Amino acid sequence: DAKTTQPPSMDCAEGRAANLPCNHSTISGNEYVYWYRQIHSQGPQYIIHGLKNNETNEMASLIITEDRKSSTLILPHATLRDTAVYYCIVRVATDDKIIFGKGTRLHILP
Amino acid sequence: DAGITQSPRHKVTETGTPVTLRCHQTENHRYMYWYRQDPGHGLRLIHYSYGVKDTDKGEVSDGYSVSRSKTEDFLLTLESATSSQTSVYFCAISGEYYGYTFGSGTRLTVV
């Protein structure tokens, strides 16, 4: 079973920040938090990952709580092209497989 | 995606026939995976490989077999295709630190 819990769907207005939450209360000390997204019928795409510090790249920011039991993916200025299913995954860096949950379906509203 | 290709992209086959899907990578990654995706089920792991000739079962392996005779190729075989195996199949590769890279998918229809 997936080790994370995400809301099944969220809406966000175009141009606003999209904040996607993820609960991973059983995360182990050596597990990273990864985020992927899947745009309709395409293969999932890597977004960002982190261990305990907040991370930012050209696509998004990842905020991990101090106790590491939850995290938030932030898309700072959502566009219609960000409409997708977003998956939060915890994974040991050298682990050999990922089990996907259902993810969050993000709708960007014009 | 760069470094990973799946073939064929689309296939229609008849019930009871064998089908082989191919995943090819140019990244020299150790780990390779096959997932299937169906409406209402999300991505489910079928089989994975952690090296040449080293494979293991995932969540939904019944009716599927895999082979990996060289690092760059991971083959998924449906020995006798059934309608329940109609799906979109994704291959993925993974380095030890960075995330997965997925292929573009193979849409398989069993009639």
Side-chain angles (χ1 to χ4, degrees):
Chain A
D1 290 337
K3 301 178 184 178
T4 62
T5 304
Q6 299 177 252
S9 67
M10 294 182 62
D11 293 336
C12 179
E14 188 176 18
R16 304 296 296 269
N19 296 276
L20 292 89
C22 179
N23 180 285
H24 32 80
S25 58
T26 61
I27 192 170
S28 301
N30 61 348
E31 287 182 313
Y32 289 73
V33 180
Y34 282 79
W35 283 84
Y36 294 82
R37 73 180 183 184
Q38 186 174 25
I39 297 170
H40 178 64
S41 78
Q42 298 179 19
Q45 174 191 24
Y46 166 83
I47 301 173
I48 198 167
H49 75 285
L51 184 62
K52 51 185 175 182
N53 297 321
N54 298 337
E55 303 287 344
T56 295
N57 62 21
E58 65 278 5
M59 291 181 66
S61 295
L62 173 60
I63 308 298
I64 302 174
T65 58
E66 191 169 345
D67 63 6
R68 302 210 323 123
K69 294 185 176 182
S70 65
S71 61
T72 301
L73 178 74
I74 301 172
L75 308 177
H77 304 286
T79 71
L80 296 176
R81 288 177 295 180
D82 292 319
T83 294
V85 177
Y86 287 77
Y87 297 97
C88 169
I89 292 155
V90 295
R91 173 181 184 245
V92 176
T94 56
D95 197 10
D96 54 4
K97 60 184 181 292
I98 288 178
I99 303 299
F100 283 83
K102 297 292 180 65
T104 296
R105 185 171 297 275
L106 177 66
H107 301 275
I108 304 301
L109 307 175
Chain B
D1 285 311
I4 179 172
T5 55
Q6 292 184 233
S7 60
R9 292 294 311 276
H10 301 272
K11 185 171 182 67
V12 180
T13 191
E14 293 186 350
T15 299
T17 60
V19 176
T20 295
L21 309 183
R22 180 183 185 234
C23 179
H24 179 79
Q25 62 148 328
T26 58
E27 304 295 323
N28 201 36
H29 283 325
R30 177 182 175 191
Y31 298 116
M32 299 185 75
Y33 314 82
W34 278 107
Y35 289 86
R36 62 178 287 176
Q37 188 168 36
D38 307 288
H41 288 281
L43 284 153
R44 293 182 292 175
L45 180 65
I46 306 172
H47 280 281
Y48 62 102
S49 170
Y50 40 96
V52 173
K53 299 191 188 304
D54 288 326
T55 65
D56 207 345
K57 297 179 179 180
E59 305 167 272
V60 289
S61 59
D62 288 347
Y64 301 94
S65 62
V66 291
S67 65
R68 190 161 178 210
S69 60
K70 45 187 178 178
T71 300
E72 57 266 36
D73 288 326
F74 192 32
L75 304 180
L76 177 70
T77 297
L78 291 66
E79 300 291 347
S80 178
T82 67
S83 58
S84 64
Q85 293 175 312
T86 292
S87 187
V88 179
Y89 291 86
F90 288 103
C91 177
I93 58 176
S94 173
E96 287 192 353
Y97 181 75
Y98 294 103
Y100 282 14
T101 300
F102 282 81
S104 299
T106 294
R107 186 172 296 276
L108 176 67
T109 302
V110 183
V111 298

